[in-house]
Amino acid sequence: MKASEIDRLKQDLLATVKELSDSYEELSLLYRLSEEFLGLNVDEICRVFLKEIKYLLNVKTAVILFLDEEKNCLYTKECSGAWDAEVTISSKDNLFWYVLETGKPMAICKLNSTKWKMEGFDFDSILVVPLRGKKRVLGSVVVADKEEGREFFAGDIKLLNTISFFTSLFIENALLSKEIQTFLIGTIKSFVKALEATSLWTAGHTERVTEYAIGIGREMGLSSSELERLRICSLLHDIGKITIPREILNKRDELDDHEWDELMRHPVVGAEILSELSGFTEVIDCIKYHHEHYDGSGLHGMKGEDIPMMSRILAVADAFDAMTSDRPYRHRKTFQQAIEEIRNNAGKQFDPVVVDAFLRWIGAKLSVLDL
């Protein structure tokens, strides 16, 4: 074999090795991003994505522009660097809309020396790629001003285009989940209003308990997905009362033992009503056990941290609203009286950790309200 042929084969082999290496690195990157994106909401995905592309492309500015179809404009969803977070782009005679509509990435060195003379945007170099999912156009991704004044090359375009498409799939799924969740929450709220309409004394109870529970959950550092599950638990926690006779729910005198036992069936009944909803095990358990006591003296005798965390949070929120609301057989307590009772029952009826979070949250709330 001639030396020239050997050299050519060496060059081919090196090129193949480099291509395989690049492909492996790209797959490794996409795998890592998929693990980071899993379970995140749209805002969280955008923040992770922006941080990643700034690092990978070594740029000073990175932006995600979302399409608002109703207003027919692009707006800043997330940004980092020399970009105004409030920017809205309605005029279609610019680079961002061109990329969005054609689906073609564009890299330009010295933006304002080209036909794209866009007032307010002054970058030495800029790369714009479309952000498109499988079923919807989401917007555009913009990176600008590479460090050391370098321009964007073919490898940069390919990399950003690839991970932008990959990210758009996660954003698309997160948006769909959010739409479904919004519909679900709206349906639940309508159902709860119908339930509360059967009782003279519980109007607004569910919304207040939800507010209190979410406040406690935030104080405890729950994630956004945990807070959403807690919201659903709070909205549905009394759903079992739909089977309680109205004469018991609306009784003007104190309940006797039999009536009280009937009323306290509602956590179990609520769990049974929701038992066919697959994927809602955590919510169902929260509802079933929200009347447990931390010391084991509650409805089922469950004790301490064996009680689901969301049930322990809901127990405090529910008790606080019950104490600060009028009932036919007693007047409501003041906020300070209810707070003191919850404090005194830490370690008995309530989880001390949840009580501490509640006290911090209610203290801040009352301070803002100047109460």
Side-chain angles (χ1 to χ4, degrees), residues 189-201:
K189 285 183 175 179
S190 297
F191 196 51
V192 166
K193 284 183 179 179
L195 171 63
E196 290 188 344
T198 65
S199 172
L200 302 175
W201 306 99

PDB file of all heavy atoms in Angstrom, residues 189-201:
ATOM      1  N   LYS A 189     -61.903  23.056  42.104  1.00  0.00           N
ATOM      2  CA  LYS A 189     -62.459  24.227  42.777  1.00  0.00           C
ATOM      3  C   LYS A 189     -63.974  24.315  42.576  1.00  0.00           C
ATOM      4  O   LYS A 189     -64.715  24.674  43.501  1.00  0.00           O
ATOM      5  CB  LYS A 189     -61.780  25.497  42.276  1.00  0.00           C
ATOM      6  CG  LYS A 189     -60.373  25.696  42.829  1.00  0.00           C
ATOM      7  CD  LYS A 189     -59.768  27.005  42.356  1.00  0.00           C
ATOM      8  CE  LYS A 189     -58.416  27.252  43.002  1.00  0.00           C
ATOM      9  NZ  LYS A 189     -57.792  28.518  42.546  1.00  0.00           N
ATOM     10  N   SER A 190     -64.436  23.998  41.373  1.00  0.00           N
ATOM     11  CA  SER A 190     -65.876  24.024  41.107  1.00  0.00           C
ATOM     12  C   SER A 190     -66.596  22.978  41.951  1.00  0.00           C
ATOM     13  O   SER A 190     -67.673  23.231  42.506  1.00  0.00           O
ATOM     14  CB  SER A 190     -66.129  23.754  39.614  1.00  0.00           C
ATOM     15  OG  SER A 190     -65.556  24.759  38.820  1.00  0.00           O
ATOM     16  N   PHE A 191     -65.969  21.809  42.056  1.00  0.00           N
ATOM     17  CA  PHE A 191     -66.552  20.731  42.840  1.00  0.00           C
ATOM     18  C   PHE A 191     -66.607  21.108  44.319  1.00  0.00           C
ATOM     19  O   PHE A 191     -67.590  20.852  45.015  1.00  0.00           O
ATOM     20  CB  PHE A 191     -65.721  19.463  42.638  1.00  0.00           C
ATOM     21  CG  PHE A 191     -66.410  18.204  43.062  1.00  0.00           C
ATOM     22  CD1 PHE A 191     -67.689  17.904  42.626  1.00  0.00           C
ATOM     23  CD2 PHE A 191     -65.764  17.305  43.906  1.00  0.00           C
ATOM     24  CE1 PHE A 191     -68.326  16.736  43.014  1.00  0.00           C
ATOM     25  CE2 PHE A 191     -66.389  16.135  44.306  1.00  0.00           C
ATOM     26  CZ  PHE A 191     -67.681  15.843  43.859  1.00  0.00           C
ATOM     27  N   VAL A 192     -65.536  21.739  44.801  1.00  0.00           N
ATOM     28  CA  VAL A 192     -65.461  22.150  46.209  1.00  0.00           C
ATOM     29  C   VAL A 192     -66.525  23.209  46.508  1.00  0.00           C
ATOM     30  O   VAL A 192     -67.160  23.184  47.566  1.00  0.00           O
ATOM     31  CB  VAL A 192     -64.053  22.680  46.546  1.00  0.00           C
ATOM     32  CG1 VAL A 192     -64.053  23.410  47.880  1.00  0.00           C
ATOM     33  CG2 VAL A 192     -63.041  21.534  46.576  1.00  0.00           C
ATOM     34  N   LYS A 193     -66.731  24.148  45.593  1.00  0.00           N
ATOM     35  CA  LYS A 193     -67.765  25.171  45.795  1.00  0.00           C
ATOM     36  C   LYS A 193     -69.147  24.529  45.907  1.00  0.00           C
ATOM     37  O   LYS A 193     -69.976  24.956  46.716  1.00  0.00           O
ATOM     38  CB  LYS A 193     -67.734  26.178  44.645  1.00  0.00           C
ATOM     39  CG  LYS A 193     -66.586  27.171  44.739  1.00  0.00           C
ATOM     40  CD  LYS A 193     -66.644  28.188  43.613  1.00  0.00           C
ATOM     41  CE  LYS A 193     -65.502  29.192  43.735  1.00  0.00           C
ATOM     42  NZ  LYS A 193     -65.513  30.180  42.632  1.00  0.00           N
ATOM     43  N   ALA A 194     -69.368  23.502  45.077  1.00  0.00           N
ATOM     44  CA  ALA A 194     -70.653  22.792  45.147  1.00  0.00           C
ATOM     45  C   ALA A 194     -70.806  22.094  46.492  1.00  0.00           C
ATOM     46  O   ALA A 194     -71.887  22.076  47.092  1.00  0.00           O
ATOM     47  CB  ALA A 194     -70.744  21.772  44.012  1.00  0.00           C
ATOM     48  N   LEU A 195     -69.696  21.525  46.990  1.00  0.00           N
ATOM     49  CA  LEU A 195     -69.720  20.865  48.297  1.00  0.00           C
ATOM     50  C   LEU A 195     -69.985  21.873  49.414  1.00  0.00           C
ATOM     51  O   LEU A 195     -70.823  21.631  50.285  1.00  0.00           O
ATOM     52  CB  LEU A 195     -68.386  20.158  48.539  1.00  0.00           C
ATOM     53  CG  LEU A 195     -68.144  19.588  49.942  1.00  0.00           C
ATOM     54  CD1 LEU A 195     -69.153  18.493  50.255  1.00  0.00           C
ATOM     55  CD2 LEU A 195     -66.716  19.051  50.066  1.00  0.00           C
ATOM     56  N   GLU A 196     -69.276  22.995  49.379  1.00  0.00           N
ATOM     57  CA  GLU A 196     -69.417  23.980  50.448  1.00  0.00           C
ATOM     58  C   GLU A 196     -70.792  24.632  50.438  1.00  0.00           C
ATOM     59  O   GLU A 196     -71.241  25.147  51.467  1.00  0.00           O
ATOM     60  CB  GLU A 196     -68.317  25.035  50.336  1.00  0.00           C
ATOM     61  CG  GLU A 196     -66.924  24.476  50.677  1.00  0.00           C
ATOM     62  CD  GLU A 196     -65.857  25.552  50.762  1.00  0.00           C
ATOM     63  OE1 GLU A 196     -66.101  26.669  50.263  1.00  0.00           O
ATOM     64  OE2 GLU A 196     -64.784  25.273  51.319  1.00  0.00           O
ATOM     65  N   ALA A 197     -71.446  24.597  49.300  1.00  0.00           N
ATOM     66  CA  ALA A 197     -72.791  25.176  49.222  1.00  0.00           C
ATOM     67  C   ALA A 197     -73.800  24.362  50.025  1.00  0.00           C
ATOM     68  O   ALA A 197     -74.890  24.843  50.345  1.00  0.00           O
ATOM     69  CB  ALA A 197     -73.236  25.264  47.767  1.00  0.00           C
ATOM     70  N   THR A 198     -73.456  23.118  50.376  1.00  0.00           N
ATOM     71  CA  THR A 198     -74.369  22.275  51.154  1.00  0.00           C
ATOM     72  C   THR A 198     -74.291  22.578  52.652  1.00  0.00           C
ATOM     73  O   THR A 198     -75.092  22.076  53.425  1.00  0.00           O
ATOM     74  CB  THR A 198     -74.052  20.777  50.945  1.00  0.00           C
ATOM     75  OG1 THR A 198     -72.750  20.487  51.486  1.00  0.00           O
ATOM     76  CG2 THR A 198     -74.084  20.427  49.475  1.00  0.00           C
ATOM     77  N   SER A 199     -73.285  23.379  53.056  1.00  0.00           N
ATOM     78  CA  SER A 199     -73.127  23.702  54.475  1.00  0.00           C
ATOM     79  C   SER A 199     -73.170  25.202  54.681  1.00  0.00           C
ATOM     80  O   SER A 199     -72.582  25.964  53.915  1.00  0.00           O
ATOM     81  CB  SER A 199     -71.793  23.149  54.989  1.00  0.00           C
ATOM     82  OG  SER A 199     -71.547  23.603  56.310  1.00  0.00           O
ATOM     83  N   LEU A 200     -73.858  25.610  55.748  1.00  0.00           N
ATOM     84  CA  LEU A 200     -73.981  27.035  56.053  1.00  0.00           C
ATOM     85  C   LEU A 200     -72.707  27.592  56.664  1.00  0.00           C
ATOM     86  O   LEU A 200     -72.508  28.804  56.695  1.00  0.00           O
ATOM     87  CB  LEU A 200     -75.142  27.261  57.041  1.00  0.00           C
ATOM     88  CG  LEU A 200     -76.524  26.769  56.601  1.00  0.00           C
ATOM     89  CD1 LEU A 200     -77.519  26.950  57.734  1.00  0.00           C
ATOM     90  CD2 LEU A 200     -76.980  27.530  55.358  1.00  0.00           C
ATOM     91  N   TRP A 201     -71.801  26.714  57.127  1.00  0.00           N
ATOM     92  CA  TRP A 201     -70.707  27.172  57.966  1.00  0.00           C
ATOM     93  C   TRP A 201     -69.323  26.958  57.367  1.00  0.00           C
ATOM     94  O   TRP A 201     -68.328  27.310  58.003  1.00  0.00           O
ATOM     95  CB  TRP A 201     -70.772  26.461  59.330  1.00  0.00           C
ATOM     96  CG  TRP A 201     -72.110  26.628  59.977  1.00  0.00           C
ATOM     97  CD1 TRP A 201     -73.136  25.737  59.987  1.00  0.00           C
ATOM     98  CD2 TRP A 201     -72.576  27.781  60.680  1.00  0.00           C
ATOM     99  NE1 TRP A 201     -74.217  26.246  60.654  1.00  0.00           N
ATOM    100  CE2 TRP A 201     -73.904  27.504  61.099  1.00  0.00           C
ATOM    101  CE3 TRP A 201     -72.011  29.009  61.016  1.00  0.00           C
ATOM    102  CZ2 TRP A 201     -74.663  28.408  61.819  1.00  0.00           C
ATOM    103  CZ3 TRP A 201     -72.756  29.919  61.736  1.00  0.00           C
ATOM    104  CH2 TRP A 201     -74.073  29.622  62.125  1.00  0.00           C
TER     105      TRP A 201
END
